[in-house]
Amino acid sequence: MVYQNFVSVVVVSSLRVFGIISTEPLTWRLVRVWLPVNVIFVGMLITSMFSLKYINVAMVTVLKNVTNVITAVGEMYLFNKTHDNKVWTALFLMIISAVTGGITDLSFHAIGYTWQIINCFLTASYSLTLRRVMDTAKQVTKSGNLDEFSMVLLNNTLSLPLGFLLILLFNEVDYLSRTPLLQLPAFWLVTTFSGLLGLAISFTSMWFLHQTSATTYSLVGSLNKIPLSVAGIFLFHVSTSLENSASILFGLLAGVFFARAKMQDKSQTRS
């Protein structure tokens, strides 16, 4: 996680040095405002990696639907936002798919599911907290604005000292001193590529949001889970049953239904 975020910092900083992009300077006032979001961001990344260590990609994809449920409830209590019956029906279907998926999962692992549940809460907390902090952060910048490049640089830069602290807490220093992976060029190549890929996902997501709406982005994201789950099963040769496959498909369709319900809910609100 530390190395992947380090790659993002190097790339964005290089683009700034060559004058391709401009970012807000990191001031102590901005760091103090953004730090709570960054702590959640780091926790979100770490728990995601730990859950993938024990759970297959398809089940992680379905279980991530629980994040939508937590976010919807959080919006209701924090921002007094109401949802129509279709949205709540979709959220209920997501919960059913997550429960049935866990029951029928042939490779069920309690530790992995625990990490994923924590990840769902942290991911929902990140999106809810980010909405509050962004407006406050803009007020403490020199230009009065905080663009996507600045947020990416800010998030990844602040995550580095927190990441090093976690390395010490989890006693990974001893592991790093003994593992032969660090001597393999292929390891560094794959890890660097994953860092670049993560950075590319962040930038393309932001560009997509600028070109379309959040509801369209949500719908495409829900459709994206279907090929992701199928690819995860076949690429990693995951053993699954008919019941588990059905629950995964049910969860993916519930995600699409949720996105459509959100689109209709937002269109009714505007009208």
Side-chain angles (χ1 to χ4, degrees), residues 166-234:
L166 289 172
I167 288 175
L168 295 175
L169 291 177
F170 282 90
N171 196 27
E172 290 189 3
V173 176
D174 181 59
Y175 168 76
L176 289 173
S177 64
R178 292 183 291 104
T179 180
L181 285 174
L182 300 183
Q183 302 174 9
L184 299 177
F187 169 78
W188 290 108
L189 180 64
V190 172
T191 308
T192 302
F193 178 73
S194 66
L196 293 173
L197 190 61
L199 179 61
I201 291 172
S202 298
F203 282 129
T204 52
S205 297
M206 293 170 187
W207 177 86
F208 190 82
L209 280 169
H210 275 153
Q211 301 300 318
T212 60
S213 64
T215 50
T216 305
Y217 179 79
S218 176
L219 178 59
V220 174
S222 297
L223 294 173
N224 181 48
K225 291 180 180 179
I226 297 176
L228 177 63
S229 298
V230 174
I233 291 175
F234 286 101

Side-chain angles (χ1 to χ4, degrees), residues 6 24 54 65 142 155:
F6 175 73
E24 287 292 328
Y54 301 100
N65 282 335
K142 292 184 177 180
N155 244 351

Side-chain angles (χ1 to χ4, degrees), residues 22-262:
S22 60
T23 60
E24 287 292 328
L26 301 183
T27 63
W28 281 113
R29 291 183 64 191
L30 183 59
V31 169
R32 285 197 300 268
V33 171
W34 200 266
L35 189 58
V37 176
N38 188 253
V39 172
I40 300 174
F41 172 72
V42 172
M44 183 178 67
L45 294 179
I46 292 294
T47 52
S48 177
M49 292 183 179
F50 277 140
S51 65
L52 280 171
K53 184 179 179 180
Y54 301 100
I55 313 176
N56 64 72
V57 174
M59 279 309 304
V60 167
T61 304
V62 172
L63 291 172
K64 280 183 177 293
N65 282 335
V66 178
T67 303
N68 294 327
V69 180
I70 301 171
T71 304
V73 175
E75 285 180 333
M76 186 175 64
Y77 283 100
L78 295 176
F79 304 106
N80 297 320
K81 188 174 182 179
T82 59
H83 303 286
D84 63 13
N85 292 332
K86 289 183 178 180
V87 173
W88 288 115
T89 301
L91 294 174
F92 180 69
L93 293 176
M94 289 178 182
I95 295 175
I96 293 177
S97 67
V99 173
T100 55
I103 294 174
T104 59
D105 188 2
L106 297 179
S107 57
F108 177 85
H109 201 292
I111 295 178
Y113 273 72
T114 301
W115 280 119
Q116 185 53 48
I117 292 172
I118 296 173
N119 175 259
C120 290
F121 277 96
L122 289 174
T123 304
S125 301
Y126 179 72
S127 61
L128 292 170
T129 307
L130 188 61
R131 289 183 56 181
R132 287 180 174 271
V133 171
M134 282 179 63
D135 292 335
T136 307
K138 290 178 181 179
Q139 297 173 6
V140 299
T141 58
K142 292 184 177 180
S143 65
N145 189 30
L146 190 66
D147 59 17
E148 291 80 7
F149 294 105
S150 298
M151 285 189 286
V152 170
L153 182 62
L154 183 60
N155 244 351
N156 288 282
T157 301
L158 292 181
S159 70
L160 295 181
L162 292 175
F164 283 118
L165 179 62
L166 289 172
I167 288 175
L168 295 175
L169 291 177
F170 282 90
N171 196 27
E172 290 189 3
V173 176
D174 181 59
Y175 168 76
L176 289 173
S177 64
R178 292 183 291 104
T179 180
L181 285 174
L182 300 183
Q183 302 174 9
L184 299 177
F187 169 78
W188 290 108
L189 180 64
V190 172
T191 308
T192 302
F193 178 73
S194 66
L196 293 173
L197 190 61
L199 179 61
I201 291 172
S202 298
F203 282 129
T204 52
S205 297
M206 293 170 187
W207 177 86
F208 190 82
L209 280 169
H210 275 153
Q211 301 300 318
T212 60
S213 64
T215 50
T216 305
Y217 179 79
S218 176
L219 178 59
V220 174
S222 297
L223 294 173
N224 181 48
K225 291 180 180 179
I226 297 176
L228 177 63
S229 298
V230 174
I233 291 175
F234 286 101
L235 287 177
F236 298 103
H237 307 289
V238 176
S239 58
T240 182
S241 63
L242 179 61
E243 293 82 2
N244 186 244
S245 299
S247 65
I248 292 173
L249 179 61
F250 183 74
L252 297 175
L253 294 177
V256 176
F257 181 62
F258 170 75
R260 286 180 59 86
K262 287 284 287 183

